Every structure is written in structure tokens, then in C-alpha cells.
Amino acid sequence: KLQFLYLIARTLRCTMADAPPATSGTKVSFKIILTSDKKQPYKVISVPEEAPFTAVLRFAAQQFHIPNVDDMAATTKDGTGINPVQDSGKVFLKYGQEIRLIPRDKVGGALLL
């Protein structure tokens, strides 16, 4: 009887290891703020946890009429940069709901004399 239980447990472990990751079906919401505008308009976007964060940024860029997603930076409210090559769920857990978009022409400008 003990060997039988051991065999079942071993089989279940192998089956679980080979299975694709389960999708939770839960969604996360981001409040994305365009910081380059004085009015600071924002959009609330809800996406599945498994959605790539690059897709969220691309959609937000379209909503704010930014022509290229590569022309902006994503930061937190305290200015920490966000690496977009992550799942949305991980970004939400690490940085929270509020994301700020800054067009690259507004970041790190050099003063030429």
C-alpha cells in the first residue's frame, strides 16, 4: 500500500512538472499617466496577469498618440525605471498600479552652449 501511494505521488509530480503553467484568469489594472502634459491625463487599463507589459505600453502609447513605443520611458511615481520585458502581473506586484509615461524627448535633455 505504501509503494502504491509513493508511485501515485511520483506520477503526479512528473505530470505537474510537464504541464504548461496554468493561467489564473485574473486581471491587473494600471493607471497610466502621461507626465509630459501639464494636465497629466491618464488611462486605466485592465489586462490579464500573463499579458506582456510591452503590449500594455504599446496600447497606452497609441491612446496618448505617441507614435513609437520606443520613444518613451515607463517609470513609477517615485521615478524608478521599469523594464518592460516582463509579465504585467510581475510589474504590478513589483511597482504597483500607477505607471508614468515620459516621452524620450522630455528625458535627460542636454544643454548645449
Side-chain angles (χ1 to χ4, degrees):
K1 185 175 180 180
L2 189 58
Q3 287 179 338
F4 178 72
L5 291 175
Y6 173 75
L7 183 62
I8 289 176
R10 195 170 118 206
T11 305
L12 284 175
R13 263 186 268 138
C14 290
T15 305
M16 294 298 282
D18 296 337
T23 57
S24 63
T26 58
K27 291 188 172 191
V28 293
S29 294
F30 293 105
K31 179 180 179 181
I32 300 181
I33 302 168
L34 184 62
T35 56
S36 62
D37 191 342
K38 288 184 181 183
K39 297 177 186 175
Q40 292 200 344
Y42 68 91
K43 302 282 183 186
V44 177
I45 300 173
S46 296
V47 295
E49 284 183 340
E50 298 83 19
F53 192 63
T54 52
V56 174
L57 293 179
R58 190 172 312 279
F59 180 75
Q62 289 175 350
Q63 296 298 308
F64 290 123
H65 306 291
I66 298 172
N68 189 359
V69 73
D70 296 328
D71 292 340
M72 64 182 185
T75 64
T76 62
K77 59 184 171 188
D78 62 352
T80 305
I82 299 173
N83 181 4
V85 188
Q86 308 178 61
D87 291 340
S88 296
K90 290 180 184 177
V91 171
F92 182 80
L93 289 175
K94 285 182 187 177
Y95 304 107
Q97 179 183 20
E98 191 171 303
I99 306 296
R100 296 176 180 264
L101 294 183
I102 306 170
R104 296 267 185 209
D105 61 349
K106 306 289 184 192
V107 177
L111 180 61
L112 299 175
L113 298 176

